[in-house]
Amino acid sequence: KQEVTQIPAALSVPEGENLVLNCSFTDSAIYNLQWFRQDPGKGLTSLLLIQSSQREQTSGRLNASLDKSSGRSTLYIAASQPGDSATYLCAPNNAGNMLTFGGGTRLMVKP
Amino acid sequence: DAGITQSPRHKVTETGTPVTLRCHQTENHRYMYWYRQDPGHGLRLIHYSYGVKDTDKGEVSDGYSVSRSKTEDFLLTLESATSSQTSVYFCATKDRDQPQHFGDGTRLSIL
């Protein structure tokens, strides 16, 4: 059974810092991995989908990397802003098009 | 997001009553999912569908049933609601090799 761990569980930083959020997973036989953000009381918004054959995927200030063999992914947020405050979730996709979610990293960016 | 509508958005009901949640999508995605999100447990898959009338169980399927008679609709039914099923329920959809997209959620309270 896939198990997903996200570190740190919570993070508070001043505006402008570059951040790294970590995700590790136990079963490396994944097809792809997705990163989401969730604002309080809201649904999940897809940020990045990185395929198992890819090393990196970028969207604006966000960059996700994937090391499938070691069971790790990182989400890099450049020049953080208060609007980035949210919970960030990673979810590897194993067989059957099913995602397994980590517990998330709760990020607060202070002005 | 991705044309997903969940209804109702909020519901309060009593133990022992039947409850049906509806997920409607306009993107013609093949796969549809029902999750529940609870503090301390994160997002867990209840049931999913890989086509009309094709469904399967997820991690926490006990006490829930689903139906998909049309591509655009995926129904989640609690036959006899219990207090342990108080949760926020999310529907998601995807196509093969594409990101999974989520609805805004249904907040269900069972008294």
Side-chain angles (χ1 to χ4, degrees), chain B residues 30-47:
Chain B
R30 177 180 176 186
Y31 300 94
M32 297 186 76
Y33 308 82
W34 277 108
Y35 294 88
R36 60 179 290 175
Q37 186 174 36
D38 305 286
H41 291 279
L43 270 154
R44 293 178 292 174
L45 182 66
I46 305 171
H47 280 280

Side-chain angles (χ1 to χ4, degrees), chain A residues 1 32 34 36 38 41-46 49 51 89 93 96-99 101-103, chain B residues 1 9 31 33 35 37 43 45 48 59 90 94 96-104 107:
Chain A
K1 178 189 170 187
N32 53 51
Q34 204 167 343
F36 297 87
Q38 185 175 28
K42 303 291 187 182
L44 279 68
T45 299
S46 179
L49 173 69
Q51 302 291 348
L89 297 155
N93 176 8
N97 285 288
M98 287 190 287
L99 301 180
F101 285 85
Chain B
D1 194 1
R9 293 294 317 281
Y31 300 94
Y33 308 82
Y35 294 88
Q37 186 174 36
L43 270 154
L45 182 66
Y48 66 100
E59 180 187 359
F90 288 101
K94 78 182 291 289
R96 187 181 178 87
D97 294 333
Q98 297 300 308
Q100 197 166 124
H101 295 280
F102 280 73
D104 290 333
R107 190 170 296 274

Side-chain angles (χ1 to χ4, degrees), chain A:
Chain A
K1 178 189 170 187
Q2 179 74 277
E3 294 183 2
V4 183
T5 302
Q6 290 189 244
I7 294 173
L11 186 61
S12 181
V13 300
E15 182 176 6
E17 281 205 1
N18 300 325
L19 308 171
V20 176
L21 308 182
N22 296 294
C23 171
S24 62
F25 45 94
T26 56
D27 183 353
S28 61
I30 66 171
Y31 289 93
N32 53 51
L33 183 143
Q34 204 167 343
W35 281 93
F36 297 87
R37 72 174 276 167
Q38 185 175 28
D39 294 290
K42 303 291 187 182
L44 279 68
T45 299
S46 179
L47 297 174
L48 290 163
L49 173 69
I50 181 164
Q51 302 291 348
S52 61
S53 58
Q54 295 177 309
R55 284 284 193 168
E56 287 187 0
Q57 189 70 254
T58 297
S59 176
R61 294 183 294 108
L62 305 179
N63 175 278
S65 68
L66 176 64
D67 184 342
K68 192 177 119 171
S69 60
S70 68
R72 294 180 188 275
S73 178
T74 60
L75 180 68
Y76 177 82
I77 304 175
S80 59
Q81 303 171 357
D84 294 330
S85 298
T87 296
Y88 290 81
L89 297 155
C90 79
N93 176 8
N94 290 92
N97 285 288
M98 287 190 287
L99 301 180
T100 303
F101 285 85
T105 293
R106 193 168 59 254
L107 172 65
M108 176 167 292
V109 181
K110 298 177 182 177

Side-chain angles (χ1 to χ4, degrees), chain B residues 71-101:
Chain B
T71 298
E72 57 267 34
D73 289 326
F74 193 32
L75 303 181
L76 177 71
T77 298
L78 291 65
E79 300 290 347
S80 178
T82 68
S83 58
S84 65
Q85 293 175 312
T86 291
S87 186
V88 180
Y89 291 85
F90 288 101
C91 173
T93 74
K94 78 182 291 289
D95 257 344
R96 187 181 178 87
D97 294 333
Q98 297 300 308
Q100 197 166 124
H101 295 280

